[in-house]
Each structure stands twice: as C-alpha cells, then as structure tokens.
Amino acid sequence: MQFLKALRPRVRSGEVTTSVRIWRSARVGVGKRYAMDGGWIEIEAVREMAIADVTPEMARDSGFEGLVDLLKTAKHGAGTRVFLIEFHFVPADA
C-alpha cells in the first residue's frame, strides 16, 4: 500500500490506521504485510462499501481534512469499488 508522503509520518506513529481506496478489486489481504518506509503495513480488515457510506469522519480518520480530499486521492485507475482498510504499522526493528 502506498500513502501520500505527507501521511507517512502519521501512519508510522499510529495516528492513521484506516484508508479508503477505490479499486477494481481488493489489492490487499487481511493478515498480509506491505512494505513502507521504516517497516510494514499489516492489514487487519478489508470491508467493501458503497461510496455513499464514506463519511467525513472516515476521511479524517484516514488523515484527510475532508471527504472531497479523500475521494480525490482514493481513486486509483478505473476502479469503482470502495474499500475501507484497517491496518497498523509494524516497525522494521519489531
């Protein structure tokens, strides 16, 4: 999983632990780890939802100021399926 450069310190600190992504299909799996600067992102849950169910609170929890900012960043390619991903950061030295 990739994150905006500005979000990475907040992900590493544990402040950001969710992400909303718009993909064709889920690109991450529960229990799997994905490399990130200084460690890994470990996926705890992946839930598909309707775009109408994405809330401003979810946007803030994902590190964005609001829903519009989140949705601009969440769209990857031609996908239309919305996924809420819960994760935690695992430091490389853990």
Side-chain angles (χ1 to χ4, degrees), residues 40-77:
W40 297 272
I41 298 298
E42 186 169 316
I43 307 302
E44 297 174 359
V46 179
R47 180 173 56 124
E48 190 166 0
M49 59 194 320
I51 198 159
D53 293 333
V54 179
T55 66
E57 182 180 20
M58 287 177 187
R60 288 188 299 276
D61 289 347
S62 296
F64 293 90
E65 288 189 30
L67 197 52
V68 172
D69 292 329
L70 167 76
L71 293 176
K72 284 181 190 174
T73 303
K75 182 120 172 96
H76 296 274

Side-chain angles (χ1 to χ4, degrees), residues 17 29-32 41-46 85-89:
T17 59
V30 174
K32 294 189 177 185
I41 298 298
E42 186 169 316
I43 307 302
E44 297 174 359
V46 179
I85 301 160
E86 297 175 29
F87 61 86
H88 64 273
F89 180 74

